[in-house]
């Protein structure tokens, strides 16, 4: 039987706790396992092991210097790996102990690759995308952090297109682009939950912004036929405390190349215990009333994963006074949605022409494959920034909604593409910096 995500996490975390218990004299004070996304870590010492083709792509181990120095006194490092530097040798010796524990914990692939200790001043750990987890353990001698980059879980759903095309019991409300058949909605959600699907949770953030957090359904917590959907979710500001949990969340996911979303009530916020020591935060959701296509509702603002620039200018009417010139102002796209964008313009720009209600023309240089697009928009917000690190102004614009606009269709394809990438790819790796 194929092991689930929880099985792999449990075996790895248990092996780490066993290795640490052997190496330190005192008790383990605390441990915490949580899904993460878009995070960077600067560890005092760091080691990494890569496992191509396995359920875990890589493990990155961060260790406080005082713990590594303690481990160098407690453990023996292989002669060919010793450097005489206590922090390096202590972490290297612990990695060797951990690898033995991993290989003996039902994870045969863990013995294929060795951990290598890297220069912590040169590298940082950068996490992005789907299925990254952090296991943090504290002992009196210091703290140990294990970042797990789990392989994405492809999800097949060959029956969905056939269901949608068959009509009959499947009702598609074309005006709202929504699947409203109760039976089909329940089948879709049961498929996500029983398959351990990777999704994203959309939550309100500061102001009118929304944040998107990586989440994964927990197969072992799901009971077939149940109307409760269990998933674990990356924690950030809006999920740190129980009182921050909203009454509803929106799930964004992909099935058979379709970007879909639905709104689910939050039934409970709890812990899924893998054993007496290790647990995962869990959200238990109720069934949604419908599943909608794309991002037209909610208009989540995507922060482009690459630098996206262009220009913006005040739109001049055809009957404008001769000599009136509308200057192109260079800008950078801070975030973008199906309906609008937040643009940053430099401090040198004259912003008097960009007051609320002003009509503008935005030229956006999208990445290769999408090209340059020109969009008409209306200014909805103007905020002047005096921060020295990003002096200038933020311009919130709403695109003029023209169903036949090829440029707007291209922008929406770009947003869907980047959402799809975030739901199917990602990594945790060492990067120079």
């Amino acid at each position: 039987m194929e092991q689930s995500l929880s099985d792999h996490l449990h075996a790895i975390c248990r092996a780490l706790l066993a290795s640490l218990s052997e190496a330190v004299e005192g008790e383990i004070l605390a441990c915490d396992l949580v899904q993460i996304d878009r995070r960077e870590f600067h560890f005092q010492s760091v080691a990494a092991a890569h496992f191509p083709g396995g359920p875990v792509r890589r493990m990155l181990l961060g260790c406080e210097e005082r713990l590594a120095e303690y481990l160098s006194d407690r453990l023996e490092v292989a002669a060919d790996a010793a450097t005489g530097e206590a922090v390096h040798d202590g972490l290297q010796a612990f990695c060797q102990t951990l690898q033995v524990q991993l290989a003996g914990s039902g994870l045969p692939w863990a013995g294929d690759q060795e951990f290598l200790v890297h220069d912590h001043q040169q590298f940082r750990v950068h996490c992005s995308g789907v299925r990254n987890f952090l296991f943090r353990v504290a002992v009196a001698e210091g703290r140990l952090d294990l970042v797990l980059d789990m392989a994405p879980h492809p999800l097949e759903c060959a029956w969905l297109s056939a269901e949608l095309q068959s009509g009959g019991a499947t009702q598609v409300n074309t005006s709202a682009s929504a699947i409203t058949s109760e039976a089909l909605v329940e089948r879709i959600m049961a498929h996500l939950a029983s398959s351990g699907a990777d999704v994203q949770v959309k939550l309100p953030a500061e102001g009118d912004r929304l944040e998107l957090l990586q989440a994964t359904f927990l197969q072992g917590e799901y009971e077939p036929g149940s109307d409760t959907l269990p998933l674990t979710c990356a924690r950030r500001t809006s999920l740190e405390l129980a009182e921050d949990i909203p009454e509803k969340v929106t799930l964004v996911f992909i099935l058979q190349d379709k970007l879909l979303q639905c709104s689910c009530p939050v039934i409970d916020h709890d812990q899924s215990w893998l054993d007496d020591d290790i647990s995962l935060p869990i959200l238990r959701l109720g069934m949604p009333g419908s599943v909608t296509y794309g991002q037209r509702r909610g208009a989540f603002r995507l922060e482009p994963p690459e630098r996206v620039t262009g220009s913006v200018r005040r739109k001049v009417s055809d009957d404008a006074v001769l000599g009136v010139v509308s200057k192109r102002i260079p800008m950078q796209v801070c975030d973008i949605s199906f309906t609008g964008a937040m643009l940053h313009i430099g401090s040198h720009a004259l912003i008097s022409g960009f007051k609320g209600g002003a009509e503008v023309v935005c030229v956006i240089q999208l990445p290769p494959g999408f090209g340059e697009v020109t969009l008409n928009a209306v200014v909805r917000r103007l905020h002047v920034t005096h921060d020295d690190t990003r002096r200038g102004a933020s311009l919130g614009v709403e695109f003029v909604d023209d169903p036949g606009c090829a440029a707007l269709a291209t922008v929406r394809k770009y947003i869907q593409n980047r959402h799809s990438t975030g739901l199917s790819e990602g990594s945790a790796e060492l990067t120079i910096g």
Side-chain angles (χ1 to χ4, degrees), residues 386-399:
H386 299 289
D387 185 354
D388 290 337
T389 61
R390 197 169 177 81
R391 187 180 295 271
S394 295
L395 202 65
V397 300
E398 179 184 355
F399 300 139

Side-chain angles (χ1 to χ4, degrees), residues 68-389:
E69 290 172 347
Y70 172 85
L71 293 171
S72 70
D73 293 332
R74 296 278 300 174
L75 303 172
E76 291 185 8
V77 64
D80 59 346
T83 65
E85 199 277 312
V87 172
H88 177 282
D89 291 352
L91 181 55
Q92 186 70 65
F94 180 78
C95 288
Q96 293 170 356
T97 301
L98 174 60
Q99 195 155 14
V100 172
Q101 287 283 354
L102 288 169
S105 299
L107 306 171
W109 48 266
D112 296 340
Q113 302 291 330
E114 294 184 354
F115 282 85
L116 297 177
V117 177
H118 296 270
D119 181 356
H120 71 280
Q121 294 181 335
Q122 183 178 2
F123 293 95
R124 69 184 186 277
V125 175
H126 176 75
C127 300
S128 65
V130 61
R131 288 207 174 198
N132 293 330
F133 290 83
L134 171 66
F135 186 49
R136 179 163 285 175
V137 185
V139 292
E141 293 75 16
R143 195 182 74 201
L144 201 63
D145 294 301
L146 179 63
V147 178
L148 299 170
D149 177 24
M150 313 296 287
H153 181 53
L155 191 62
E156 299 295 333
C157 191
W159 49 265
L160 181 59
S161 290
E163 286 276 7
L164 296 177
Q165 293 171 2
S166 65
T170 301
Q171 300 296 321
V172 179
N173 183 339
T174 55
S175 64
S177 299
I179 301 169
T180 55
S181 165
E182 182 178 351
L184 182 54
V185 168
E186 290 184 358
R187 187 178 180 187
I188 289 172
M189 303 312 296
H191 182 66
L192 295 175
S194 62
S195 302
D198 299 311
V199 299
Q200 291 172 319
V201 173
K202 188 194 301 184
L203 293 164
E206 295 181 1
D208 61 349
R209 295 174 63 86
L210 298 167
E211 62 179 343
L212 206 61
L213 303 177
Q214 296 291 346
T216 301
F217 280 100
L218 298 178
Q219 294 167 274
E221 292 284 342
Y222 175 68
E223 298 179 5
S226 170
D227 57 0
T228 302
L229 306 168
L231 55 80
T232 190
C233 179
R235 289 186 298 197
R236 245 195 333 265
T237 53
S238 58
L239 282 179
E240 285 297 329
L241 302 174
E243 54 265 31
D244 293 333
I245 306 299
E247 293 183 358
K248 288 186 176 182
V249 297
T250 298
L251 301 185
V252 181
F253 55 95
I254 296 173
L255 276 183
Q256 210 168 355
D257 298 324
K258 296 177 176 62
L259 183 64
L260 304 169
Q261 65 178 21
C262 61
S263 178
C264 298
V266 177
I267 298 175
D268 190 20
H269 177 246
D270 198 1
Q271 296 288 320
S272 172
W273 289 93
L274 308 185
D275 63 21
D276 290 341
D277 303 307
I278 305 167
S279 66
L280 272 170
I282 185 172
L283 286 177
R284 300 186 190 276
L285 309 179
M287 286 287 180
S290 63
V291 174
T292 61
Y293 292 91
Q295 291 265 16
R296 293 180 185 273
R297 291 187 175 186
F300 167 73
R301 291 185 174 271
L302 170 78
E303 294 182 9
E306 59 272 297
R307 180 178 171 85
V308 177
T309 60
S311 65
V312 59
R313 64 175 175 84
R314 179 74 181 268
K315 187 176 182 180
V316 179
S317 61
D318 295 335
D319 58 353
V321 177
L322 187 64
V324 172
V325 177
S326 181
K327 184 179 179 180
R328 291 176 178 263
I329 306 297
M331 59 79 173
Q332 180 177 346
V333 178
C334 301
D335 55 46
I336 190 168
S337 75
F338 272 31
T339 58
M342 182 66 71
L343 315 176
H344 181 266
I345 56 179
S347 58
H348 61 280
L350 294 175
I351 61 175
S352 57
F354 296 111
K355 295 179 180 179
E359 296 183 356
V360 296
V361 178
C362 303
V363 179
I364 303 175
Q365 302 286 345
L366 294 173
F370 298 95
E372 180 182 285
V373 295
T374 301
L375 294 161
N376 292 322
V378 177
V379 176
R380 296 303 184 198
R381 182 189 307 166
L382 175 63
H383 176 70
V384 179
T385 305
H386 299 289
D387 185 354
D388 290 337
T389 61

